[in-house]
Amino acid sequence: MRIPFTKMHGAGNDFVVLDETRGPLGLSAAHYRRLGDRHFGVGADQILSVRAAPSADVDFEYVIHNADGGEVEHCGNGARCFVRYVRGRGLTAKRRIRVKIQRGVIELTEAEDGRVTVDMGAPVFDLAALPFDATGLAPVPAPQADGPWQLWPLSLKPNQASALAEQAQAAIVNVALVSMGNPHAVTLVDDVETAPVLSLGPLIEHHPAFPRRVNAGFMQVVDRGHIRLRVYERGAGETLACGTGACAAVVAGIRLGLLDARVDVQTHGGQLTIEWDGGAQNAVLLTGPAETVFEGSIDLPDDLSDSN
């Protein structure tokens, strides 16, 4: 079958966008893996499927698959690309759009300059909701934290993934845990450029305390309104930017007493702006760019499997 697609990116976090507003394409996990493959497919961190509204209180639905074929809950950079896509293709004239995702509804707004703000909803700190299994683990107090927030020391054992030389440098990592609709573990580093993201990232992602795996964020605080961030994403590896990861990092930094309510986040793919007034009920706002790279089509075998 021949599948038309649009290639987009938000601060370098890149996506294959599919129009399923007239009906689902019926793709399998193997099809999504082929689309995300940078050698045999189109190449992307994630695949976004745009679907018709399932109910009258929303404008659209969209579904997100990682490059490994697995469906995920949320993607802030993808949500911005979603807005530019549906407006650019004439699927809606609205600038403010309500969209159903796997875990609820989000609201997206495109400004006159083309930047998109996503209401990411309120952060979640309940460990069971991440989910996070604290069995056998003991938290440590977080200095200057907003309220009784804690950090969780994770022992990163070489047998969790391939043994790399940098593992010996950080056998235990303290992480702050936040869900932005998907799970994040954020650790503070002195210099994000020299942080062992590629070796520690997969160890954190696959740590047994996270039964559904986790996104691993490495945050350097520059000042109270500026951080530098790298994220090793669950099912995708390190990406040039991660919208939910940026939100989680800023929320963690605010709760740790290190950041103000508005923070610019510098990623390898560009700058994002995160705003959060604190409090368990207040939504996190994510603002950043979204751009179309090219459009095309690809032939996918109907019976594609891992062996094809």
Side-chain angles (χ1 to χ4, degrees):
M1 54 182 167
R2 178 171 287 270
I3 302 296
F5 67 85
T6 300
K7 180 69 180 287
M8 304 187 73
H9 81 90
N13 193 186
D14 61 339
F15 307 93
V16 169
V17 186
L18 306 176
D19 185 350
E20 295 189 71
T21 56
R22 298 179 182 178
L25 295 171
L27 302 183
S28 66
H31 287 125
Y32 291 119
R33 284 193 291 272
R34 176 62 63 87
L35 286 168
D37 192 298
R38 298 187 186 278
H39 299 288
F40 298 102
V42 181
D45 295 321
Q46 293 173 319
I47 298 89
L48 310 180
S49 299
V50 180
R51 298 179 179 176
S55 59
D57 61 334
V58 296
D59 299 297
F60 295 94
E61 176 182 16
Y62 91 105
V63 178
I64 313 155
H65 286 85
N66 275 339
D68 67 356
E71 185 177 345
V72 293
E73 304 91 343
H74 201 357
C75 176
N77 290 327
R80 297 199 315 278
C81 289
F82 173 92
V83 173
R84 297 296 301 274
Y85 180 85
V86 296
R87 282 181 47 78
R89 294 183 68 88
L91 298 175
T92 184
K94 295 181 179 180
R95 287 195 175 273
R96 179 169 294 177
I97 304 169
R98 285 174 55 82
V99 183
K100 181 184 182 301
I101 58 174
Q102 188 186 93
R103 290 192 175 181
V105 175
I106 57 175
E107 190 168 282
L108 321 170
T109 305
E110 183 184 30
E112 293 290 343
D113 64 0
R115 283 168 63 87
V116 177
T117 296
V118 184
D119 181 335
M120 301 290 287
V124 175
F125 306 109
D126 177 52
L127 298 182
L130 256 77
F132 177 73
D133 182 0
T135 303
L137 300 176
V140 296
Q144 303 178 326
D146 173 24
W149 211 38
Q150 299 168 316
L151 299 175
W152 289 88
L154 300 181
S155 177
L156 304 181
K157 300 177 181 179
N159 62 6
Q160 288 174 226
S162 59
L164 300 173
E166 292 168 301
Q167 291 172 5
Q169 299 177 11
I172 296 179
V173 173
N174 291 331
V175 296
L177 302 178
V178 183
S179 173
M180 290 303 310
N182 56 355
H184 290 269
V186 181
T187 185
L188 291 167
V189 297
D190 293 328
D191 185 345
V192 76
E193 295 305 325
T194 60
V197 174
L198 297 182
S199 58
L200 297 187
L203 297 182
I204 296 172
E205 177 192 359
H206 293 278
H207 192 281
F210 302 102
R212 296 182 186 171
R213 297 183 293 164
V214 73
N215 300 289
F218 297 78
M219 173 174 64
Q220 175 189 347
V221 177
V222 178
D223 55 46
R224 295 192 63 83
H226 181 203
I227 67 171
R228 300 170 68 198
L229 181 70
R230 292 169 65 185
V231 179
Y232 193 93
E233 290 198 50
R234 177 184 57 169
E238 184 180 8
T239 57
L240 291 178
C242 175
T244 57
C247 293
V250 170
V251 167
I254 291 173
R255 293 209 68 183
L256 290 170
L258 303 174
L259 299 173
D260 292 332
R262 186 182 188 279
V263 179
D264 289 331
V265 180
Q266 188 63 47
T267 72
H268 281 174
Q271 182 173 291
L272 305 172
T273 300
I274 310 298
E275 299 172 81
W276 184 53
D277 290 332
Q281 304 302 317
N282 291 331
V284 180
L285 300 181
L286 161 65
T287 302
E291 298 180 12
T292 296
V293 182
F294 62 88
E295 296 184 344
S297 62
I298 183 173
D299 288 319
L300 295 176
D302 292 337
D303 58 349
L304 186 64
S305 66
D306 289 332
S307 60
N308 292 132

